[in-house]
Amino acid sequence: MPSAVVERDEAADRRAANRAMAVSAAGLSVTALIEIVLALVTGSVALLGDGLHNLSDVSTSAVVFLGFWISRRPATARYPYGYERAEDLAGLGVALVIWASALFAGYESYHKLVGGTATTDAGLGMVGAALGIVGNQIVARYKLRVGRRIRSATMIADAKHSWLDAISSLGALVGLALVAAGYRWGDPVAGLAVTLFIGHVGVEVTRDLVHRLMDGVDPDHLEAARTAAAGVPGVGAAEVRARWMGRTLAVEVETRLDDGLSLLDADGINAEVERAVRVAVPDAGDVHAHAHATRSAGVA
């Protein structure tokens, strides 16, 4: 027997998202401020860049929260599909912060490399870098778990950003260890390595979000929906389109039905098609089926 349709609790999802953003922002603020203070004491450019990068996560959390807040507004005459795509636009804001962090980290690291400024008290700086690793790993895992559960591409992107910060902190730690071993160039070189990590994650996050904004979907979702719709008794053929609207996968199914069916029978078949598609594609939020007579020319 087919699986039951799992209903999504939109209010609960939004509460989980808001809670994740608030907790993450608080944790990262504390981590970043400690790192920045230690960076000023030790003169470590890698630790300073890492601390400022962590602090930028607080701003991205605010951007994500704004996206969730706007997306809950109901549809209007001007925006008949609602505001759910505000979440994806917020994701682009996250991507911009990542790229800005890459530029800043690269500039500061290059400046210190050519300037030859010394780094002092490397041991204290290593403590700050280790704190950055632990703090960001905790925040990244938390946001990733919530983002996957509520199917939010923006929160997943923000979780990747936090994961990136943990890698950034690791780079700062390695650089400071080299400084402690007598290699003064270790700190700025580590900063440049961190910049490469930031750019790599920036490419991934930007690519995923542009894919969403361009209505890219998993072909397996379309095939599963098409197979489920075509398997409903009374359906001769079916064509499927889908697009992401924030965290909602909206699916449209064009069905080909027998010419002699009444409107009431056609409505009943389409209702069954919508139910079958929701079972076959758990990510599907809004599903709408539209009937066409078999003798009609091509499905719209």
Side-chain angles (χ1 to χ4, degrees):
M1 294 190 56
S3 303
V5 179
V6 178
E7 296 292 338
R8 293 173 57 184
D9 189 336
E10 183 68 17
D13 285 353
R14 291 187 182 279
R15 286 196 298 270
N18 292 337
R19 183 168 56 251
M21 290 298 100
V23 171
S24 299
L28 288 176
S29 294
V30 173
T31 300
L33 290 175
I34 293 175
E35 282 190 299
I36 290 173
V37 169
L38 293 179
L40 294 175
V41 171
T42 63
S44 170
V45 66
L47 188 59
L48 177 62
D50 185 50
L52 291 175
H53 189 199
N54 285 332
L55 198 60
S56 74
D57 261 0
V58 178
S59 66
T60 62
S61 295
V63 171
V64 173
F65 178 81
L66 179 62
F68 279 116
W69 181 76
I70 294 175
S71 69
R72 69 182 181 179
R73 297 175 60 182
T76 64
R78 183 178 293 273
Y79 298 101
Y81 288 97
Y83 291 79
E84 288 187 277
R85 279 205 159 172
E87 295 182 21
D88 294 328
L89 292 176
L92 287 179
V94 173
L96 290 175
V97 171
I98 292 176
W99 286 114
S101 299
L103 291 173
F104 177 80
Y107 171 79
E108 290 295 325
S109 298
Y110 173 77
H111 186 267
K112 182 167 185 177
L113 183 63
V114 298
T117 307
T119 301
T120 62
D121 204 345
L124 185 60
M126 291 170 67
V127 172
L131 175 64
I133 294 173
V134 174
N136 279 290
Q137 279 291 332
I138 292 174
V139 168
R141 290 175 183 273
Y142 177 42
K143 287 192 288 191
L144 184 62
R145 184 173 67 250
V146 175
R148 285 175 173 171
R149 178 164 59 82
I150 68 175
R151 302 184 183 96
S152 170
T154 294
M155 185 170 289
I156 291 173
D158 203 35
K160 288 181 178 179
H161 189 188
S162 294
W163 175 85
L164 160 70
D165 283 346
I167 299 299
S168 172
S169 298
L170 177 61
L173 179 61
V174 172
L176 288 164
L178 288 172
V179 171
Y183 301 99
R184 296 179 59 181
W185 49 262
D187 188 36
V189 169
L192 292 173
V194 167
T195 300
L196 293 179
F197 276 114
I198 296 173
H200 174 69
V201 174
V203 169
E204 289 189 340
V205 169
T206 303
R207 182 188 59 205
D208 291 345
L209 289 168
V210 169
H211 178 73
R212 283 286 189 108
L213 291 172
M214 290 294 292
D215 290 334
V217 296
D218 187 343
D220 291 341
H221 285 343
L222 297 180
E223 185 58 32
R226 186 179 298 109
T227 300
V232 173
V235 176
E239 292 295 331
V240 178
R241 293 185 299 177
R243 68 194 306 187
W244 284 99
M245 303 291 291
R247 290 171 291 113
T248 300
L249 181 63
V251 182
E252 294 184 5
V253 185
E254 304 286 343
T255 58
R256 185 74 61 191
L257 307 181
D258 184 76
D259 301 351
L261 289 174
S262 67
L263 288 176
L264 184 61
D265 290 335
D267 283 345
I269 292 175
N270 277 340
E272 180 63 20
V273 166
E274 292 173 358
R275 190 198 68 81
V277 169
R278 287 193 177 94
V279 171
V281 186
D283 284 342
D286 295 331
V287 181
H288 299 285
H290 311 278
H292 299 270
T294 302
R295 64 186 179 187
S296 301
V299 175

